[in-house]
Amino acid sequence: MAIVELVFQAVVLGLLLLGVARLAIKLPVRRELRTAHGLVAGLLLGASAAALLWLAVTSEDGRRLLTVIAALVLLYGGWRARPAYGAGRQLPPGSLALGPSLDAIHDRTFYRDQAARFGPVFKMSQFGRPVVCIVGIERAREVLAGQADCLSGATLPYNRFVPRGALRYMPRSDHRDVAPVFRAALMRLDFPSAEPDARAAFRAVLEQMAADSSGRPEAGIHPRDYWGVMLLPALARVFLGLEPARPEVGRIGRQVPKLELGRGGGPLWRRQVREALDTTADVLRNATESEGPAPGSALAHLLAAEPALFDDPTLTKNLILILRLAYGDLTGLFDWLFKMLSDHPDRLAQLREEGPAAANTVPASAGATDAVSASPVAGTAAGGVNGHPPTLAERIVMETVRLEQSEFLYRKVIRPVRLDDVVLPAGWLLRVCIQESHRSADVFEEPDRFDPDRFARRAFSRAEYSPFGIDSHACMGARL
């Protein structure tokens, strides 16, 4: 009997250790372990595992207790991992296992595969927190609009540093007050006056990039090292009204990398983000007092509407966050544009031949229409600029955004939501899978193919193509 018990204990504990080991070798975990805080967490977990193993080896009662705990963990995890888990409570299908949530981080087809298997509404787990995923923009828009009182922003930790919250996470009441101020300022940006500075900054960095690349024909260079240097002066001019030669641009540029908005952390991270926001606000205040921002910039329009802007940390910090988010989004977009044009040299040759402002001369395919969306927001996305058909340069950007730069939206369910025949429980997260919706074969012919001309052959509604958001918290610059 003792041998049977010992074998049972070994099997149960071995299965738990095997499960932990399978999680530990997954790519996201290995990447996290390379970071300082990940290494500390790994060492603590390793020490805890070693202590438990020692207890199991040296103490019979300890081994029995660990076996019971391990068995309960395995049974509970296996029960929750069943795709049919919660069907009696009308939960969507899909697995709440921890392993798939780690796979989703680097598996670019994960959410599409889940939707193909379980349907456009399914559940999953993100590090133990249950999530309902929706594929399909039209369905998601209906939920966000019709169930707005049951949903709230799923905030990232940096939101705590803004008194009334960052624009994308603000409660609806605050958003109605603050968002129009920024939307009006961004709608009135004077791009023509800022264009010479932007062109000069871009050209100087691109020339340096070409020279560095030529000097390292085998090793090559990392393009992203150059995008930020190129973008910061242009963004500082457009948003903050600072001429590129002003020293304040460099001071702000040194703070931008410290605003690590995609993560949270301990005291060091919190102090770093707070100091970066406060330092940037002080630089802007002093720059404005010594020499006002350039006319037509976002800061100039904001000060005209709110003269006490710098006395309101909600407004000041949201302006800084807009700059930081634009910086991050555009460096990512430049990465993908660089890759797309490198992978499709025919398009690069066509672009060089026609020029970025060339008229749309793409022949319509059989059955195609040349309709242009009249929606101000969708018009930018699907109908070019100011209602005119998009140029080749615009189509390349739009197709790149469709394929790679429109990822997801998150909301937190604060009251149960009924969607068709399933229920989204309170406390769960809601993920709108924008990228997967933009790869729907029902909307886009050959959805995985890079085809900028699809935007010349027809227009797409906001229910089909919506890269800038789908509800009242959509991107402030969507109409640009």
Side-chain angles (χ1 to χ4, degrees):
M1 191 68 176
I3 295 178
V4 173
E5 182 183 10
L6 191 61
V7 170
F8 176 76
Q9 291 172 347
V11 170
V12 172
L13 293 174
L15 287 174
L16 182 62
L17 288 174
L18 179 61
V20 173
R22 290 178 61 184
L23 294 176
I25 64 175
K26 288 184 177 291
L27 181 60
V29 177
R30 288 187 280 119
R31 284 178 174 171
E32 186 69 15
L33 289 175
R34 296 192 191 110
T35 65
H37 61 277
L39 179 60
V40 171
L43 291 174
L44 290 175
L45 289 174
S48 300
L52 292 174
L53 181 61
W54 178 84
L55 179 64
V57 171
T58 59
S59 170
E60 184 175 350
D61 290 340
R63 186 166 58 250
R64 286 174 176 168
L65 177 61
L66 290 176
T67 301
V68 171
I69 294 174
L72 291 175
V73 170
L74 290 171
L75 288 172
Y76 180 68
W79 182 257
R80 279 173 58 90
R82 297 177 306 118
Y85 171 79
R89 292 181 286 148
Q90 295 182 295
L91 296 182
S95 175
L96 294 177
L98 180 59
S101 72
L102 296 174
D103 295 334
I105 295 174
H106 64 86
D107 182 357
R108 296 182 65 79
T109 67
F110 176 84
Y111 294 97
R112 294 177 70 188
D113 295 341
Q114 295 292 297
R117 179 180 177 186
F118 299 116
V121 181
F122 58 91
K123 68 179 183 293
M124 66 168 294
S125 173
Q126 290 187 349
F127 310 110
R129 184 166 187 179
V131 182
V132 173
C133 303
I134 298 179
V135 176
I137 295 175
E138 185 170 11
R139 179 182 286 105
R141 289 182 67 195
E142 291 173 355
V143 172
L144 296 185
Q147 305 287 343
D149 292 337
C150 300
L151 304 170
S152 67
T155 63
L156 286 175
Y158 75 84
N159 187 63
R160 73 184 72 171
F161 303 125
V162 184
R164 297 170 68 183
L167 279 163
R168 60 172 54 181
Y169 301 130
M170 276 184 181
R172 294 177 66 193
S173 56
D174 288 332
H175 194 265
R176 282 193 292 265
D177 293 337
V178 179
V181 177
F182 282 93
R183 191 172 289 117
L186 295 177
M187 280 292 294
R188 299 170 61 198
L189 288 178
D190 181 6
F191 283 108
S193 65
E195 184 174 351
D197 289 329
R199 283 185 177 274
F202 280 31
R203 186 170 297 280
V205 175
L206 288 173
E207 289 175 352
Q208 184 63 51
M209 183 178 177
D212 293 347
S213 179
S214 299
R216 304 181 61 189
E218 295 185 5
I221 60 173
H222 292 286
R224 176 162 281 213
D225 294 341
Y226 297 82
W227 302 150
V229 177
M230 182 168 67
L231 279 165
L232 187 63
L235 293 175
R237 173 60 180 80
V238 169
F239 288 119
L240 309 179
L242 297 174
E243 305 295 340
R246 293 187 62 169
E248 292 90 344
V249 175
R251 293 172 196 159
I252 292 172
R254 288 189 288 273
Q255 302 305 315
V256 167
K258 299 177 183 178
L259 293 171
E260 298 182 73
L261 304 183
R263 52 159 291 196
L268 180 62
W269 173 81
R270 292 194 293 271
R271 183 170 65 252
Q272 174 181 292
V273 174
R274 282 198 187 97
E275 288 178 353
L277 287 171
D278 292 340
T279 299
T280 304
D282 290 340
V283 171
L284 284 178
R285 181 192 292 270
N286 294 334
T288 302
E289 291 175 352
S290 64
E291 182 181 346
S297 64
L299 181 55
H301 291 309
L302 288 170
L303 286 170
E306 301 286 341
L309 174 79
F310 290 110
D311 295 327
D312 187 338
T314 294
L315 297 179
T316 307
K317 292 181 179 181
N318 267 298
L319 175 62
I320 296 169
L321 291 176
I322 287 175
L323 173 75
R324 176 62 181 89
L325 292 168
Y327 177 89
D329 289 344
L330 287 173
T331 51
L333 177 60
F334 279 27
D335 275 344
W336 283 113
L337 287 170
F338 190 84
K339 175 172 171 53
M340 291 298 184
L341 291 174
S342 298
D343 289 347
H344 301 86
D346 56 323
R347 290 296 185 181
L348 182 57
Q350 182 184 0
L351 183 63
R352 285 171 171 160
E353 180 179 350
E354 295 187 15
N360 184 350
T361 58
V362 178
S365 61
T369 85
D370 58 356
V372 173
S373 168
S375 164
V377 176
T380 302
V385 176
N386 298 324
H388 296 293
T391 65
L392 175 60
E394 291 164 356
R395 297 197 304 271
I396 288 172
V397 172
M398 290 154 62
E399 179 71 342
T400 301
V401 168
R402 180 186 75 84
L403 286 171
E404 303 297 350
Q405 280 294 99
S406 309
E407 298 180 1
F408 50 78
L409 297 175
Y410 275 101
R411 296 292 183 267
K412 183 166 63 177
V413 183
I414 56 177
R415 282 189 286 275
V417 172
R418 175 169 290 279
L419 175 59
D420 299 331
D421 57 347
V422 300
V423 173
L424 285 57
W428 285 36
L429 291 178
L430 170 65
R431 176 188 173 111
V432 179
C433 302
I434 301 293
Q435 185 179 79
E436 290 72 20
S437 302
H438 282 169
R439 290 176 180 251
S440 170
D442 294 335
V443 177
F444 300 97
E445 181 182 358
E446 297 184 81
D448 293 325
R449 184 165 70 93
F450 181 73
D451 178 18
D453 295 341
R454 70 175 77 246
F455 290 98
R457 294 191 293 266
R458 60 158 289 192
F460 298 91
S461 71
R462 287 194 66 191
E464 297 172 317
Y465 178 70
S466 193
F468 302 115
I470 59 177
D471 66 354
S472 61
H473 281 67
C475 174
M476 288 287 103
R479 290 175 180 266
L480 300 178

